[in-house]
Amino acid sequence: DEPTAGLDVMSAADVRTDLASLAAREGVTVFLTTHNMAEAERLCSQVAVIRAGRLAAVGHPDVLRARAGGPRVEIIGKGFSEQVLDLVRARPEVIGAEAQNGRMAIELRDETESASLVSLLVGTGVQVAEVRRGTASLEDVFVTLMQEDEHPDTGSVD
């Protein structure tokens, strides 16, 4: 239960190494209870998300990350207007795009090259400082699962 909580960085790294070695060397299953999604992502081959005593999801971290969305691009810069967002959202490779505080997060349908999106943005006058590619994290998965659970579809119409 939270084996690295309260430990300094070096001690926490040692505990993670020891747990991974124990599981590999002895061929045993180690149950790790943690709120630290980055730690679970590093150590676990299977992750279960439990909320209010119910199993919300279980699977390999890669499978769970896919559930929270596909490839993503984060663009840091200036000039993300609503018109620019509309242009990006209209692209066939884009599932969705949001901009806030100098960051535009774009969710893609597949591992599409992001250079054309950056060119589009630059062509509209956006000042691009940095581009980051990636996928959803386990933290993203957890947040998505908690939001789904908070707002269950009751089938009623408001």
Side-chain angles (χ1 to χ4, degrees):
D1 187 16
E2 301 286 351
T4 60
L7 297 179
D8 64 83
V9 174
M10 295 304 294
S11 295
D14 287 343
V15 168
R16 284 191 293 274
T17 300
D18 289 346
L19 286 172
S21 295
L22 172 68
R25 184 180 65 246
E26 301 295 326
V28 297
T29 298
V30 176
F31 285 89
L32 174 69
T33 304
T34 185
H35 292 92
N36 184 336
M37 296 295 104
E39 186 165 85
E41 206 158 8
R42 274 188 239 137
L43 286 173
C44 301
S45 60
Q46 290 288 309
V47 173
V49 178
I50 299 171
R51 175 165 179 167
R54 289 189 3 229
L55 188 61
V58 65
H60 188 277
D62 291 341
V63 172
L64 294 178
R65 280 192 296 267
R67 178 178 177 161
R72 298 173 181 203
V73 174
E74 180 182 32
I75 300 172
I76 300 167
K78 295 180 183 175
F80 301 123
S81 66
E82 279 301 316
Q83 294 83 4
V84 169
L85 271 170
D86 290 341
L87 283 173
V88 170
R89 290 175 180 143
R91 297 288 297 247
E93 69 269 26
V94 174
I95 293 173
E98 298 297 326
Q100 188 175 6
N101 298 327
R103 296 175 186 268
M104 179 181 280
I106 305 169
E107 187 175 352
L108 301 170
R109 295 194 188 287
D110 55 37
E111 294 289 336
T112 305
E113 176 58 45
S114 57
S116 62
L117 290 172
V118 174
S119 294
L120 171 71
L121 292 171
V122 170
T124 64
V126 169
Q127 297 173 21
V128 175
E130 187 175 344
V131 177
R132 299 178 186 161
R133 294 178 56 117
T135 58
S137 66
L138 274 183
E139 184 173 314
D140 296 328
V141 172
F142 183 85
V143 169
T144 299
L145 288 167
M146 294 304 109
Q147 289 171 342
E148 287 173 1
D149 210 26
E150 286 176 0
H151 308 289
D153 182 11
T154 59
S156 63
V157 178
D158 293 327

